[in-house]
Amino acid sequence: MSNPSNSLKISTFVCTWCDLTVSAFAADGTRRNHCPSCLHSRHVLDQVEGGPTDCLGRMSPIAIAVLRTGDWMVVHRCVRCDELTSNPVCKDDNQLILMRMAVRPLAQTPFPLEAFGTL
Amino acid sequence: MPRRNRSDGRDGTRRPQRHKGVPGDRGVPRTGDFRCVQCRLDVPVTAPGTAHRNHCPNCLASLHVDRRVPGDRASDCRGRMEALSVSVRPDGEWLIVHQCLTCGELSANRIAGDDNALVLVRLALRPLRDGSVPGRILLAL
Ligand SMILES: [Zn+2]
Ligand SMILES: [Zn+2]
Ligand SMILES: [Zn+2]
Ligand SMILES: [Zn+2]
């Protein structure tokens, strides 16, 4: 999340990573927390204390998590202070980037997968 | 399960190794062994390939004891932390993302040499197996 535009009622932010200008709300009206193109975000909320934070560091996507509903969440980590957040994916988030994040652990296992038969 | 040896090419940008209940540290009992809050396994704090154990090698569950900094042990929550997902560092090392079932707080922790590999792989498969998104993505392409 980045600077909300103060000149327009239509609120937008500029992605801290890829510089894309993004509308702050997705088509279905949900508020975006991350860039739909590169999935990077900005550290604006303090997860430990609650409320806003002064950090404003860039938050990079580090993992995909699954809710009990089956919906995906993106786990972000602040590159400045290491705080973690998780946020729902939006319908128009870049699906290939999401998929690449989801399969990354399996592409880089710390042990040989050959040892497993069927799971 | 043998681990693939990785060259230890840490990028140096991460915070230094956490200190969590290392026997010999000031204020920490020499025995840091614990019983898992989830599967009740008695876990010895030292094992080959595990420098600073903070989760159960059998079910990967942990306890919410740290507040902001890993190892600070400054949280009063004491909730059970469940393994939520797997993240891969740029150097290829796996991290388990834990979430506290009591307060929702997240933390990321390095895997240990004796963590149950099958449980780890199942955790890594979860988005692909249980998620509603993969089918949608494949249909859309
Ligand atoms: Zn972006
Ligand atoms: Zn931050
Ligand atoms: Zn356990
Ligand atoms: Zn907690």
Side-chain angles (χ1 to χ4, degrees), chain B residues 36-140:
Chain B
C36 173
V37 287
Q38 186 157 285
C39 73
R40 312 308 295 168
L41 181 76
D42 283 313
V43 182
V45 78
T46 51
T50 65
H52 305 285
R53 190 193 306 274
N54 86 322
H55 56 262
C56 171
N58 182 46
C59 73
L60 312 180
S62 179
L63 201 62
H64 189 187
V65 291
D66 295 333
R67 188 169 160 82
R68 258 187 216 285
V69 182
D72 67 12
R73 304 186 80 83
S75 174
D76 299 326
C77 176
R78 312 292 294 176
R80 180 192 302 183
M81 299 199 80
E82 204 178 50
L84 178 72
S85 69
V86 174
S87 171
V88 185
R89 289 202 321 203
D91 65 4
E93 180 154 27
W94 273 28
L95 303 173
I96 299 169
V97 178
H98 282 103
Q99 183 160 41
C100 178
L101 297 181
T102 301
C103 73
E105 180 77 1
L106 300 167
S107 74
N109 302 282
R110 293 165 60 188
I111 61 168
D114 61 349
D115 283 351
N116 186 323
L118 183 58
V119 176
L120 284 172
V121 168
R122 286 207 175 118
L123 185 62
L125 277 172
R126 219 184 263 172
L128 304 172
R129 183 153 61 180
D130 306 332
S132 57
V133 180
R136 217 162 61 213
I137 292 176
L138 294 176
L139 282 175

Side-chain angles (χ1 to χ4, degrees), chain A residues 15 17-20 35 37-40:
Chain A
C15 174
W17 181 248
C18 73
D19 289 336
L20 186 72
C35 171
S37 176
C38 72
L39 308 184
H40 283 253

Side-chain angles (χ1 to χ4, degrees), chain A residues 46 48-49 62-64 66 70-72 77 81-86 95 105-106 108-112 116 119, chain B residues 2-4 6 14-15 67-68 85-88 94 105-108 111 118 121 125 127 131-134 137:
Chain A
D46 189 320
V48 178
E49 308 281 351
I62 64 157
I64 298 291
V66 191
D71 287 334
W72 279 12
R77 179 178 224 155
C81 75
D82 270 353
E83 195 159 292
L84 299 174
T85 62
S86 74
Q95 312 255 295
L106 294 167
Q108 290 180 276
T109 53
F111 35 72
F116 299 97
L119 288 173
Chain B
R3 303 281 156 156
R4 231 171 249 162
R6 301 196 171 277
R14 292 279 158 210
R15 52 171 94 253
R67 188 169 160 82
R68 258 187 216 285
S85 69
V86 174
S87 171
V88 185
W94 273 28
E105 180 77 1
L106 300 167
S107 74
I111 61 168
L118 183 58
V121 168
L125 277 172
S132 57
V133 180
I137 292 176

